Amino acid sequence: MFLIDIGHSTFILRPTREVVGSLQPFNIQTSRMRFSSDTGDLVDAVVPFMGESISDGTLATFLKQPGDKVDVDEPIAQVETDKVTIDVASPEAGVIQKFVAKEGDTVEPGTKIAVISKSGERVASSKKTSDGASSQPSFTEHKIEEGPNAGAATKAKKLEAATSPPPPPEKPKATTPLPPPNTSPSDPQLPPKERERRVPMTRLRKRVASRLKDSQNTFALLTTFNEVDMTNLMKLRSDYKDAFFKKHGVKLGFMSGFVKAAGSGLQNQPVINAVIDGDDIIYRDYVDISIAVGTPKGLVVPVVGNADKMNFAEIEKEINNLAKKSTAGSISIDDMAGGSFTISNGGVYGSLLSTPIINPPRSAILGMHSIVNRPMVVGGNIIARPMMYIALTYDHRLIDGREAVYFLRRIKDVVADPRRLLLDI
């Protein structure tokens, strides 16, 4: 009995007594049969942990191809979740040997998507040769003839097969026609038309659609409006923008003024910062303001934490950092965790007026709009003033109209006269 070890498998050859004396030893080449557990050359690239509330994602795209060199922690693929896009990084420097998943697959944390060769030796063996044949190692089946009369036995078997009557022809099996595909009346399939493209919705877009529709179905949405005179805030920005940028390295915008005003309003009207949970009301003793940011992949809402304790410069730096990460697609779960109130600035796109929708688990959202010069009565005179409409959509199950109006008036007063923040009046 001969034991031949090939990689992880052991083959046993049991020659008959007739050929024991004449059996010649033969060698099986194992130099090309390497396994990661034997040599440690191959490592797996797996989907990382994606956050407490994310159980799976869609393998959106590969950033590399088999045969490409990668460095340690270099992204090789992107997984799209219903909140963020997450990079899958290479655990070691080397060469991508192969992919074991494909784009569009649903993957979970720990799912293997690629194999990395640290030495890069096996990559060439997985590619096609010039004549189209694969150069992957293969096993050839060797037939060992048992005994000196094996040739005569083979001839006898062939003669018996030639003289045997042919088997009766098989009756054709009855085929059952396939049923037509099931079509749901609620999901009609539109006929194809010219100059149309059908593209699957991204996970982020589907999640946004689901959450906002749930908001409409669950919350008692009501919107109240007001307008704010932007003259003083614009003058403050014009007078100090150069000195502000020189000292803090970021531009002075309008968002910091509205964030500070919202923080003041939430402290004056704590119910705006609360949320319904079952039969309870959760009052939040912190102010984490979410800033809605539109990206090519969809809407994301990063959070400025403890905004009420930050100054103008700190708020501008944080908003600038979150906006860059959102646009680059590198926003993380931690950047969007929490959030007790939302601000959406549709004015950057030219929106004059809108009714924003609450993004749960918040209970209210402030909508900013474009600044337009309009005739206003000031001191008995009609003067052109830069005015902005502001809107507050709130959950009327929790927030009464009085609190909502008081909150919006506080926003109006503080933005119209930022000195109120310094004097706390």
Side-chain angles (χ1 to χ4, degrees):
M1 180 176 65
F2 295 84
L3 300 179
I4 302 175
D5 187 16
I6 304 177
H8 294 298
S9 303
T10 301
F11 296 90
I12 302 176
L13 298 181
R14 299 180 183 274
T16 58
R17 287 190 296 271
E18 288 81 2
V19 296
V20 169
S22 60
L23 182 63
Q24 298 296 323
F26 62 94
N27 297 325
I28 297 181
Q29 301 294 327
T30 61
S31 60
R32 297 170 64 189
M33 301 302 298
R34 295 182 177 178
F35 297 84
S36 58
S37 58
D38 292 340
T39 65
D41 177 58
L42 301 182
V43 293
D44 298 332
V46 300
V47 177
F49 176 72
M50 297 183 288
E52 293 291 344
S53 60
I54 301 178
S55 59
D56 59 24
T58 300
L59 184 56
T61 182
F62 284 107
L63 305 177
K64 299 288 184 177
Q65 296 297 326
D68 291 349
K69 293 183 179 180
V70 291
D71 296 326
V72 178
D73 295 331
E74 182 178 0
I76 63 175
Q78 289 184 333
V79 175
E80 186 180 81
T81 71
D82 54 12
K83 294 184 178 179
V84 294
T85 299
I86 297 173
D87 291 332
V88 180
S90 173
E92 298 284 350
V95 176
I96 299 177
Q97 186 207 42
K98 62 178 180 179
F99 293 140
V100 294
K102 62 180 183 297
E103 294 180 357
D105 286 354
T106 299
V107 294
E108 301 176 351
T111 301
K112 182 171 69 173
I113 68 166
V115 177
I116 310 297
S117 173
K118 292 186 288 186
S119 65
E121 294 179 357
R122 292 197 60 190
V123 177
S125 65
S126 64
K127 296 181 178 180
K128 297 289 184 178
T129 58
S130 58
D131 58 355
S134 174
S135 58
Q136 287 278 10
S138 60
F139 294 100
T140 303
E141 181 180 355
H142 297 276
K143 183 183 292 184
I144 303 176
E145 295 183 353
E146 300 183 358
N149 297 326
T154 302
K155 292 180 180 179
K157 289 181 179 181
K158 291 182 179 180
L159 180 61
E160 181 181 357
T163 56
S164 300
E170 295 183 359
K171 296 181 179 180
K173 297 181 179 180
T175 59
T176 303
L178 295 177
N182 293 329
T183 57
S184 174
S186 60
D187 297 322
Q189 293 294 324
L190 299 178
K193 297 181 180 180
E194 295 182 358
R195 295 173 300 189
E196 288 186 349
R197 293 179 295 117
R198 183 182 292 271
V199 180
M201 291 177 66
T202 63
R203 275 180 170 259
L204 179 59
R205 175 56 60 190
K206 287 190 289 187
R207 182 59 173 170
V208 169
S210 174
R211 288 179 64 86
L212 295 184
K213 187 57 183 174
D214 289 343
S215 175
Q216 283 188 324
N217 295 338
T218 304
F219 291 0
L221 300 177
L222 186 61
T223 305
T224 184
F225 302 92
N226 214 317
E227 58 183 354
V228 57
D229 189 342
M230 298 291 292
T231 300
N232 291 328
L233 187 60
M234 292 177 68
K235 186 176 186 303
L236 177 69
R237 179 189 185 189
S238 176
D239 292 344
Y240 296 102
K241 63 180 181 179
D242 294 335
F244 188 89
F245 181 79
K246 183 178 180 180
K247 180 175 181 179
H248 301 293
V250 291
K251 294 181 179 180
L252 178 60
F254 297 136
M255 283 300 299
S256 54
F258 276 90
V259 169
K260 290 295 292 182
S264 176
L266 293 173
Q267 289 175 333
N268 291 345
Q269 303 294 331
V271 71
I272 308 291
N273 205 34
V275 66
I276 294 177
D277 184 21
D279 294 331
D280 301 326
I281 299 175
I282 299 176
Y283 288 92
R284 303 179 176 111
D285 297 327
Y286 57 89
V287 176
D288 290 351
I289 296 183
S290 305
I291 308 296
V293 179
T295 70
K297 293 185 178 180
L299 182 70
V300 295
V301 193
V303 177
V304 178
N306 296 316
D308 57 322
K309 303 184 185 311
M310 302 171 70
N311 58 35
F312 278 70
E314 292 170 337
I315 293 174
E316 290 292 351
K317 289 179 181 179
E318 184 67 9
I319 292 177
N320 184 61
N321 178 49
L322 293 173
K324 288 182 178 179
K325 294 171 70 174
S326 300
T327 303
S330 59
I331 197 80
S332 67
I333 294 295
D334 293 337
D335 295 325
M336 296 191 295
S340 56
F341 183 76
T342 305
I343 297 179
S344 176
N345 185 8
V348 296
Y349 308 113
S351 173
L352 179 64
L353 192 64
S354 67
T355 55
I357 300 178
I358 300 171
N359 185 22
R362 294 92 179 172
S363 296
I365 178 173
L366 175 68
M368 299 168 53
H369 301 92
S370 59
I371 302 172
V372 179
N373 283 326
R374 294 202 304 271
M376 304 296 295
V377 178
V378 180
N381 300 316
I382 299 178
I383 304 174
R385 289 283 192 171
M387 304 298 294
M388 175 193 288
Y389 289 121
I390 53 177
L392 179 72
T393 299
Y394 57 97
D395 185 359
H396 205 5
R397 299 176 306 164
L398 173 65
I399 304 168
D400 295 331
R402 181 185 65 173
E403 286 79 11
V405 172
Y406 282 168
F407 174 84
L408 208 56
R409 282 179 55 185
R410 180 62 181 174
I411 298 289
K412 173 181 178 176
D413 293 341
V414 170
V415 172
D417 189 0
R419 294 174 298 180
R420 289 177 175 270
L421 293 173
L422 297 176
L423 301 176
D424 192 22
I425 58 175

